[in-house]
Amino acid sequence: MNQLVLVLDFGGQYKELIARTVRGLSVCSEIHPGTIPLEEIRLKNPIGIILTGGPDSAYRPDSPKCDKELFNIGVPVLGICYGMQMMCHMLGGMVESGKEGEYGCVQVTPNSKSELFKKIEAPFAGLMSHRDAVTCLPPGFAETASTDVCAAACENTEKKLYCVQFHPESNHTEKGSDILRNFLFNICGAVGDYKLEDYIDIQIQQIRQTAGHAKVLLGLSGGVDSSVCAALLSKAIPGQLVCIFVDHGLMRLNEGDEIESAFSKRDLRFIRVNAQKRFLSKLSGVTDPETKRKIVGSEFINVFTEEADKLGNITFFAQGTIYPDIVESGGGYGATIKSHHNVGGLPEVLGFSKIIEPLSNLFKDEVRVLGQKLGLTPELVNRQPFPGPGLAIRIVGEITREKLDLLRHADAIVRHEIGKLKSKPDQYFALLTDTLSVGVKGDERTYDPVIAVRAVETDDFMTCDYAAVPHEALKRISSRITNEIPGISRVVYDITSKPPATVEWE
Ligand code: XMP
C-alpha cells in the first residue's frame, strides 16, 4: 500500500493540478469531496490532507466546510486559498472581503523559520486569485508569509495545520512545487513510494472489477489517449477488448497502417474500417469549414454505429478521456469557435450507459509516460495532437484525393524537419491553402498551390504563440517541398498567435 495524501475538493479549478503535482513528487493522492465524512478519512489512513481553493466565502453559513474534527486528528493539513480561509474561519480566525483583491502573480515574503518555506528564504512570485482574506489569525497560529495586502501563509505547528493564500500547485508560483515538497516530505513524512506504474496496477484491478467477463468496445483514433487506453485495457482484460478504428482517409502519411501494426500484436480484437471512399464522396464539393467538420463528425458516427451493430450486444464502452477533456467540456471556448469532433461523444449516440474511462485522472504528459510503460512505441506515445476531422480541415476549400496526397507529402517533410530540432514546438504541421501563385521551375512558368507551415508553442492550446522555428529549418522545409513535390509553387510560414487566429486554419 502506498502512503496516501487526500485532496479535499471545495470547488476550485486546480484540484487535479494539486493531485497531479503531489503524484509528480512520488506521493499517491486521491481527490474526494470536501464534505467527506471523517470516518472515511480515518479508514483511508492518509499521511496528509490538502484543502483546495474554491469560489465561496468561508464566512457564509452555506459555504462548503469540512468536518471540524479533521483539524484535531493529528494528520497534517494544508489549506490552499479558500482552504486557508475556511480553516482559519472554522478555528476562530476572521475572514473578510478585502477592499481590493489580488489576482495574478504577487510578491510573497516568507518567514524562513517555517518548515513549509525551508530553503526558500527570498521573496518569490506567488499566484493569487482572491478578494477574501484572513484578517485575524485563529488562536495558536502564526503568520509565516505575507504580501503587501494580506497574510499569505500561517501555521499552527503544534497541531500540524498549515495554510497558504497563494497557489503552490500552479507553475506560475515560483518554487511552488518546493513548497508542496516541504509539506509532503518534511511535515507529512512522505517517503516518495508512488510510481506511475502503480496507477496501472490500480486501474487494472478496477477495470477487471467493473467489466467482469463482458466485452468492451473502444473507438480507437490512433491518438495518444485512445491508444494508451487500448493498451491498458488489453492488459487488464485480455481478449475482451474490441477496438474499432475508422480510417476516414484523412490521416497523415502512413498513419492508418502504423496504427494497425501497433495494435495487431496485442491481445484484443482490432477492426479497421476502410471508409476512405465514403468520406471523400460526402465531402466532395464542400468548402465551408464548419460543414466539413459536421460531415466528418456525422459520417464517423454512421460508420462506427454500423460496425458496432454488427458486433451485437456489447455492454461497456471505453474511452480515453483525460482530465483536461473534462475541464474543457464544461462549456469550452473551442466548442463555440469550432465544432470539435472527437471519438469522445460516441457513447451517448450509441446508447451506452456503462462507460470505462481509466485515464480520466491524468494529464497528457502522465498519459504519455503510462503509454511507454505499457510498451507503446515512442512515435505513438509522443504523437502530436491531431484534429478529429483530420486533413479535411487542413485543406482550405474543396477536398480531393490529389490534394490529400500533396498535403500528406508536404506534411511529412515539415514533421520530419522540425522533428529533428532539439527544441520542438508543441504542434507543427503543413496545410494546403486554396491560393495559387506563379513560380518558375527550370525555364517554365508554374501556377500552383501554396503550402503553409504552422508551428505553435502552448501550454494548453487555448492560447498559443507561433513558434520561432529557426530559419535554417524553414529554408530546408521550403526547399524540400518545392523540389520534391511537383505541383507546389511556394511555401509560407504562419506567424499568427492564438488569439486572434486559431491553431488550425479551418
Ligand atoms: P484550434 O484550431 O481550435 O485548435 O485553435 C486547438 C487544438 O485543437 C486541435 N483541434 C481539434 N482536436 N478535434 C480534435 O480532437 C477537432 O475537431 C479539432 N479541431 C482542432 C488542434 O489541432 C489544436 O491542437
Side-chain angles (χ1 to χ4, degrees):
M1 278 287 270
N2 293 118
Q3 290 183 322
L4 178 67
V5 165
L6 296 183
V7 176
L8 301 194
D9 173 25
F10 293 94
Q13 356 162 16
Y14 291 130
K15 62 174 188 285
E16 263 302 338
L17 200 54
I18 299 172
R20 171 256 176 82
T21 312
V22 172
R23 290 196 297 268
L25 293 166
S26 307
V27 179
C28 184
S29 65
E30 278 180 13
I31 302 174
H32 290 275
T35 50
I36 179 175
L38 194 65
E39 265 328 291
E40 274 187 47
I41 293 181
R42 281 193 213 270
L43 284 176
K44 291 186 174 292
N45 195 22
I47 59 162
I49 296 171
I50 301 180
L51 313 174
T52 75
D56 283 277
S57 287
Y59 43 80
R60 293 225 168 89
D62 55 351
S63 63
K65 306 270 184 343
C66 62
D67 189 320
K68 198 172 166 185
E69 265 307 291
L70 187 77
F71 302 122
N72 290 325
I73 57 176
V75 176
V77 182
L78 173 66
I80 297 177
C81 195
Y82 174 82
M84 163 170 180
Q85 296 161 9
M86 182 189 72
M87 190 193 308
C88 290
H89 173 79
M90 289 174 77
L91 296 177
M94 173 90 86
V95 178
E96 292 175 288
S97 175
K99 281 196 204 74
E100 46 178 320
E102 283 179 309
Y103 300 97
C105 281
V106 171
Q107 179 164 301
V108 175
T109 306
N111 166 346
S112 60
K113 288 198 197 87
S114 167
E115 203 60 47
L116 206 55
F117 299 112
K118 198 167 187 174
K119 299 206 179 131
I120 307 169
E121 285 87 28
F124 60 88
L127 181 77
M128 293 278 193
S129 180
H130 72 113
R131 180 178 275 277
D132 286 353
V134 176
T135 51
C136 178
L137 298 181
F141 275 69
E143 186 172 303
T144 51
S146 57
T147 71
D148 286 346
V149 176
C150 71
C154 62
E155 65 192 32
N156 178 338
T157 45
E158 200 183 309
K159 299 202 116 186
K160 300 187 193 154
L161 303 177
Y162 296 80
C163 296
V164 288
Q165 180 58 63
F166 57 90
H167 289 273
E169 71 278 19
S170 160
N171 57 10
H172 294 291
T173 293
E174 281 175 85
K175 315 245 166 109
S177 89
D178 291 341
I179 294 167
L180 284 173
R181 183 183 289 114
N182 282 342
F183 176 67
L184 297 171
F185 289 84
N186 300 350
I187 295 169
C188 301
V191 292
D193 60 357
Y194 174 79
K195 309 178 289 310
L196 204 55
E197 284 96 328
D198 299 336
Y199 188 91
I200 300 180
D201 294 337
I202 294 167
Q203 285 303 321
I204 286 180
Q205 293 312 325
Q206 286 188 358
I207 292 166
R208 284 184 184 154
Q209 245 174 31
T210 312
H213 296 291
K215 288 232 177 305
V216 176
L217 180 64
L218 172 75
L220 189 66
S221 69
V224 181
D225 308 340
S226 65
S227 299
V228 174
C229 187
L232 182 56
L233 283 159
S234 68
K235 189 164 178 188
I237 43 169
Q240 288 168 243
L241 177 66
V242 184
C243 293
I244 298 183
F245 163 52
V246 177
D247 186 349
H248 50 26
L250 306 164
M251 300 277 179
R252 292 166 285 198
L253 194 66
N254 301 331
E255 202 165 25
D257 295 342
E258 281 167 18
I259 294 164
E260 184 165 355
S261 88
F263 288 97
S264 56
K265 292 168 221 105
R266 293 202 172 243
D267 208 343
L268 50 80
R269 180 164 167 213
F270 183 87
I271 301 174
R272 176 174 180 170
V273 193
N274 289 314
Q276 296 91 332
K277 275 199 193 135
R278 261 176 93 154
F279 278 85
L280 257 190
S281 100
K282 288 271 175 187
L283 287 165
S284 160
V286 179
T287 55
D288 174 60
E290 272 301 285
T291 315
K292 285 185 193 174
R293 282 172 172 276
K294 297 226 161 86
I295 289 174
V296 178
S298 70
E299 194 55 14
F300 189 93
I301 288 170
N302 292 341
V303 175
F304 200 97
T305 315
E306 285 170 25
E307 290 304 315
D309 283 349
K310 282 189 212 160
L311 292 169
N313 265 349
I314 291 201
T315 323
F316 290 95
F317 190 89
Q319 32 181 22
T321 316
I322 65 170
Y323 183 69
D325 298 337
I326 298 171
V327 178
E328 273 159 33
S329 63
Y333 157 67
T336 52
I337 307 292
K338 296 173 182 181
S339 46
H340 274 211
H341 150 66
N342 276 323
V343 184
L346 275 172
E348 300 92 77
V349 177
L350 296 173
F352 278 98
S353 56
K354 294 186 172 169
I355 302 170
I356 296 177
E357 292 179 311
L359 309 178
S360 61
N361 293 326
L362 300 184
F363 283 74
K364 196 76 166 193
D365 55 331
E366 294 177 299
V367 174
R368 291 190 206 277
V369 176
L370 209 66
Q372 261 166 344
K373 307 252 182 234
L374 287 163
L376 295 177
T377 59
E379 294 78 47
L380 194 60
V381 160
N382 295 320
R383 205 158 250 182
Q384 298 178 50
F386 187 60
L391 300 182
I393 55 161
R394 290 188 180 166
I395 293 177
V396 180
E398 191 181 347
I399 297 157
T400 64
R401 196 178 292 274
E402 295 69 35
K403 286 187 188 176
L404 279 166
D405 288 339
L406 275 185
L407 177 55
R408 269 191 200 108
H409 195 162
D411 179 64
I413 293 174
V414 170
R415 286 188 295 124
H416 179 76
E417 292 300 332
I418 298 186
K420 286 196 297 199
L421 299 176
K422 237 193 192 149
S423 147
K424 296 182 226 336
D426 295 299
Q427 193 176 7
Y428 45 97
F429 55 88
L431 57 104
L432 184 64
T433 72
D434 59 349
T435 299
L436 298 179
S437 86
V438 173
V440 54
K441 279 191 181 167
D443 289 332
E444 294 285 319
R445 173 189 190 271
T446 58
Y447 188 49
D448 287 324
V450 175
I451 282 281
V453 177
R454 182 77 164 135
V456 294
E457 306 275 9
T458 179
D459 282 334
D460 57 6
F461 290 97
M462 303 299 273
T463 61
C464 304
D465 282 330
Y466 77 86
V469 173
H471 274 282
E472 275 311 309
L474 292 175
K475 198 169 168 181
R476 262 195 318 274
I477 287 171
S478 153
S479 152
R480 281 195 58 194
I481 290 180
T482 47
N483 280 299
E484 293 175 28
I485 314 179
I488 297 294
S489 67
R490 201 177 283 262
V491 178
V492 297
Y493 187 54
D494 182 348
I495 52 165
T496 331
S497 293
K498 170 185 181 177
T502 51
V503 176
E504 306 288 348
W505 277 31
E506 293 205 326

